[in-house]
């Protein structure tokens, strides 16, 4: 497996945000593991307490900005402001606190999961998604082709009723979700954002991912696109830089 930070051009002074659906949390942890030194992981939404406790070397609860450590206290330090949902979820901080008190203009590496998708592979964005501070240096958008060939429904599209899709999910529908106004890629600096396509576990899904990646390159020639899935023969998946 190639170093994911090299493929995404992420360094130890970057503030990286990950949005979209289909593999954001896994990608956040993978990036953090490949960065040198101590790293802040965090979220602007709610994440699983058990998942972060199992993965991170330290959970740092700071309900008040003045209690935030100067630097990540451990190799992989997950920062949160409070518990919710009976303690099963950790609630992250607001983007401006993350930028000013965690990242500190490049002093600490920060990797942040910036929105939620209820563990579904696709999503419709609402007007309150993309909680950004304006100081982010790397922006990654995730999408999954795992539901390719399924009927579009609330079972595979988060906030399905915001824009009800009809028919079988194919690569043109996913492109519409990505590149239309109000879609995944309707974000600041979209021309430099990286698109990560996951869920590739068959030749058909690989072909669809290549078409989505080609459309991404046509619209954003400066952008990067990675594809991930066990179709390549590795159980942990394989990242491929598409040019």
């Amino acid at each position: 497996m190639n170093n994911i930070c090299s493929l995404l051009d992420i360094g130890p002074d970057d503030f990286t945000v990950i949005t979209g659906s289909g593999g954001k949390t896994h990608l956040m942890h993978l990036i953090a593991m490949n960065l040198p030194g101590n790293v802040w992981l965090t979220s602007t939404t709610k994440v699983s307490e058990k998942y972060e406790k199992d993965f991170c070397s330290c959970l740092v609860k700071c309900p008040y900005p003045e209690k935030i450590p100067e630097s990540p206290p451990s190799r992989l330090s997950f920062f949160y402001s409070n518990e919710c949902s009976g303690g099963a979820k950790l609630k992250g901080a607001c983007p401006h606190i993350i930028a000013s008190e965690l990242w500190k203009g490049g002093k600490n590496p920060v990797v942040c999961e910036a929105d939620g998708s209820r563990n579904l592979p696709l999503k419709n964005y609402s007007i309150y998604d993309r909680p950004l501070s304006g100081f982010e240096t790397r922006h990654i958008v995730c999408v999954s082709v795992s539901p390719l060939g399924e009927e579009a429904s609330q079972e595979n599209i988060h906030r399905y009723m915001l824009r009800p899709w009809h028919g079988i999910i194919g690569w043109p529908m996913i492109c519409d979700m990505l590149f239309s106004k109000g879609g995944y890629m309707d974000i600041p600096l979209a021309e430099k954002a990286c698109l990560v396509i996951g869920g590739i576990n068959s030749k058909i899904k690989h072909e669809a991912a290549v078409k989505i990646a080609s459309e991404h390159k046509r619209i954003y020639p400066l952008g990067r696109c990675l594809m991930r899935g066990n179709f390549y023969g590795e159980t942990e998946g394989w990242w491929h830089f598409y040019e």
Side-chain angles (χ1 to χ4, degrees):
M1 182 186 295
N2 292 315
N3 187 305
I4 190 66
C5 293
S6 297
L7 292 175
L8 293 170
D9 191 26
I10 296 172
D13 57 351
D14 278 318
F15 177 8
T16 303
V17 294
I18 306 171
T19 63
S21 59
K24 296 191 305 296
T25 304
H26 176 77
L27 179 60
M28 175 176 71
H29 294 149
L30 186 61
I31 291 169
M33 284 192 296
N34 281 276
L35 284 170
N38 290 358
V39 181
W40 279 121
L41 295 89
T42 190
S43 172
T44 59
T45 181
K46 302 170 187 176
V47 297
S48 165
E49 186 266 353
K50 183 181 185 306
Y51 193 101
E52 299 304 336
K53 183 177 286 186
D54 289 347
F55 178 83
C56 293
S57 50
C58 182
L59 300 183
V60 181
K61 180 181 178 180
C62 292
Y64 308 108
E66 59 269 22
K67 293 183 178 292
I68 297 174
E70 188 69 18
S71 300
S74 191
R75 172 71 181 99
L76 300 176
S77 299
F78 188 89
F79 176 89
Y80 69 105
S81 62
N82 220 327
E83 301 98 341
C84 56
S85 302
K89 297 283 187 179
L90 304 179
K91 186 176 181 180
C94 72
H96 295 286
I97 291 293
I98 295 170
S100 63
E101 304 300 328
L102 299 185
W103 182 57
K104 295 181 180 292
K107 180 179 178 182
N108 303 311
V110 173
V111 189
C112 174
E113 186 176 344
D115 59 19
S117 60
R118 299 284 178 93
N119 295 316
L120 296 179
L122 299 172
K123 74 175 291 185
N124 286 322
Y125 273 106
S126 70
I127 58 173
Y128 49 85
D129 271 325
R130 306 184 189 88
L132 305 175
S133 68
F135 292 98
E136 294 81 4
T137 60
R138 294 290 182 271
H139 199 141
I140 303 167
V141 175
C142 291
V143 67
S144 176
V145 294
S146 62
L148 201 76
E150 298 177 7
E151 184 78 24
S153 72
Q154 60 186 4
E155 301 301 316
N156 46 38
I157 301 174
H158 180 43
R159 298 200 187 102
Y160 171 73
M161 295 310 298
L162 283 180
R163 183 181 177 184
W165 301 85
H166 301 288
I168 301 299
I169 296 173
W171 70 267
M173 184 185 292
I174 296 175
C175 280
D176 201 8
M177 288 180 176
L178 284 167
F179 306 120
S180 63
K181 183 174 176 56
Y184 283 45
M185 299 299 297
D186 188 7
I187 54 177
L189 301 176
E191 68 277 4
K192 293 184 179 180
C194 181
L195 176 64
V196 174
I197 306 173
I200 305 169
N201 60 7
S202 68
K203 185 174 186 295
I204 291 174
K205 291 177 182 178
H206 176 261
E207 291 171 350
V210 169
K211 291 175 181 177
I212 295 167
S214 299
E215 187 68 2
H216 178 259
K217 279 294 183 183
R218 183 187 69 80
I219 299 172
Y220 304 112
L222 296 179
R224 296 187 176 206
C225 187
L226 305 184
M227 296 188 286
R228 176 180 181 269
N230 58 18
F231 170 69
Y232 303 102
E234 297 184 21
T235 56
E236 294 300 317
W238 183 68
W239 297 91
H240 173 71
F241 180 49
Y242 178 83
E243 296 187 84

